[in-house]
Amino acid sequence: MRLRALEPEDLELLYTIENDTEMWNVGSQTAPLSRFHLRDYIANNACDIYKDEQVRYIIEVTEGKRKEAIGIIDLFNFSPQHNRAELGVAILKKHEGCGYAQRAISEISKIGKNIIHLKQIYAIVPEEHHASLRMLEKSGFCFGGTLKEWLYNGEKYANATIMQLFL
């Protein structure tokens, strides 16, 4: 498994993940993204957290000579003043539970510490997402607090848990 920069051939992966409405409840997206918009994003992304205020990597696995992009991992909501960024991870459903997210978090944490010089990475997770919370704990994150009625799914508000990793 490795993290790599976005390439034009990642368009369909981004299209699938960004338009998964189940993920919209934990993010800020409220409408589908077009292939045109995503193609433009890939082409114009500077891959520099200081310019883009985020950095996104493709999670790629290799089996023999075959390489497959299976997810994305980002650091976003970057604050250079406070040396922190929020973590986002999305793995295609058929690859969930295989340990790839945890390995990707380990790699992006090294980048955050050694290259971006972050003090901390944090994640905001719906408190009912027990598997995600356990995975973050296994990755070294600790409980940072509860945000009451933070996330709205169109029917009700739900609490979110802040998880923090101090680098």
Side-chain angles (χ1 to χ4, degrees):
M1 193 237 47
R2 73 179 183 125
L3 303 184
R4 64 165 175 78
L6 291 165
E7 297 289 348
E9 59 267 19
D10 297 319
L11 177 62
E12 288 307 313
L13 174 70
L14 257 57
Y15 186 80
T16 298
I17 289 173
E18 294 289 357
N19 290 310
D20 182 349
T21 56
E22 290 179 24
M23 295 182 147
W24 292 3
N25 292 333
V26 296
S28 58
Q29 191 170 332
T30 58
L33 295 176
S34 68
R35 284 180 178 83
F36 174 82
H37 176 84
L38 292 168
R39 189 176 297 114
D40 184 61
Y41 170 76
I42 292 169
N44 295 306
N45 184 12
C47 298
D48 182 342
I49 198 166
Y50 290 95
K51 290 180 183 172
D52 299 327
E53 297 182 353
Q54 73 169 30
V55 64
R56 174 172 278 182
Y57 294 96
I58 296 297
I59 303 168
E60 184 177 80
V61 294
T62 304
E63 295 178 17
K65 293 184 178 183
R66 188 174 146 265
K67 295 179 180 179
E68 182 180 3
I70 61 150
I72 56 176
I73 188 165
D74 341 51
L75 293 174
F76 62 102
N77 287 336
F78 171 58
S79 172
Q81 177 183 4
H82 301 293
N83 295 315
R84 67 176 177 238
E86 188 171 350
L87 175 73
V89 183
I91 303 286
L92 293 173
K93 292 194 188 318
K94 68 180 183 176
H95 295 285
E96 287 180 351
C98 298
Y100 295 126
Q102 194 170 350
R103 289 170 52 198
I105 289 170
S106 175
E107 290 302 310
I108 206 164
S109 296
K110 291 174 191 171
I111 293 166
K113 179 179 181 178
N114 299 324
I115 297 171
I116 306 170
H117 306 291
L118 296 175
K119 167 70 174 158
Q120 72 171 287
I121 296 171
Y122 67 96
I124 298 175
V125 182
E127 76 180 0
E128 70 271 5
H129 284 201
H130 302 293
S132 295
L133 293 169
R134 278 192 304 277
M135 185 266 305
L136 288 168
E137 285 177 345
K138 288 180 184 177
S139 298
F141 282 71
C142 62
F143 175 80
T146 300
L147 298 166
K148 300 289 185 188
E149 298 184 3
W150 191 256
L151 302 168
Y152 184 67
N153 69 6
E155 296 175 14
K156 64 176 185 160
Y157 287 92
N159 295 342
T161 300
I162 300 174
M163 299 295 288
Q164 296 172 282
L165 176 65
F166 295 93
L167 304 172

